[in-house]
Amino acid sequence: MYKRILLLSCSLFFLSSCQFKNSSNEATLKTLLEADALYISNEQDLNLENEYYNALIEVKRLYPEDIQEVIVLTNEDIKNIEDELKVKKYPTLLLLNRKEIIVKIEGKNEKAAIINKISTHFNDKQ
């Protein structure tokens, strides 16, 4: 009798903790999507990372109204939500509109190419 109660208690505890973890992942994704942009790094190629950082600085200067909040993360930070963000290469820059990804730039890109992709989006929007 006591074994059944213990087993039932442990099962409920385990199930509730799994549910809590999923809710946490959903909350994290929802919070991240509220930013204007996400920059995700794997911190392995600093020269490549510099291209993205320099492009972000320039884009923020060119479009201060459109890019106000940029969240910088590592690939370890997004391990649990990597599939939802559809990230396959690093570094990755995601431009967001509060609910979805509207521009995605991944892997090796030069500063000018990054700026052009983002500028094209903002110019088409106007």
Side-chain angles (χ1 to χ4, degrees):
M1 174 81 171
Y2 291 115
K3 288 182 181 181
R4 288 184 183 175
I5 293 173
L6 181 61
L7 181 61
L8 183 60
S9 298
C10 289
S11 297
L12 287 173
F13 178 75
F14 177 74
L15 289 174
S16 65
S17 67
C18 288
Q19 205 168 16
F20 177 76
K21 185 174 181 184
N22 289 338
S23 297
S24 176
N25 288 346
E26 288 173 18
T28 301
L29 180 59
K30 191 173 184 178
T31 302
L32 291 176
L33 290 176
E34 291 176 4
D36 297 313
L38 296 178
Y39 175 69
I40 307 160
S41 160
N42 66 357
E43 301 177 333
Q44 290 184 357
D45 186 346
L46 295 181
N47 289 330
L48 185 54
E49 305 267 329
N50 282 338
E51 295 291 325
Y52 278 83
Y53 283 120
N54 290 334
L56 271 172
I57 291 167
E58 184 65 18
V59 167
K60 281 184 63 89
R61 186 187 68 74
L62 293 170
Y63 305 100
E65 296 295 317
D66 295 306
I67 307 264
Q68 295 179 7
E69 182 182 10
V70 177
I71 297 176
V72 179
L73 303 161
T74 67
N75 58 327
E76 290 299 317
D77 294 331
I78 67 155
K79 216 41 141 180
N80 295 332
I81 56 173
E82 205 168 35
D83 291 337
E84 288 91 337
L85 292 175
K86 297 178 175 83
V87 174
K88 295 185 179 15
K89 294 180 187 176
Y90 297 96
T92 297
L93 178 61
L94 304 173
L95 208 59
L96 311 165
N97 74 350
R98 305 279 184 220
K99 292 195 169 69
E100 63 184 354
I101 299 167
I102 51 177
V103 175
K104 182 178 180 181
I105 305 168
E106 294 181 298
K108 187 175 182 178
N109 282 284
E110 293 184 2
K111 175 185 168 185
I114 297 166
I115 293 169
N116 285 339
K117 289 176 185 178
I118 294 171
S119 293
T120 299
H121 166 73
F122 287 128
N123 291 336
D124 289 346
K125 190 174 99 172
Q126 294 174 349

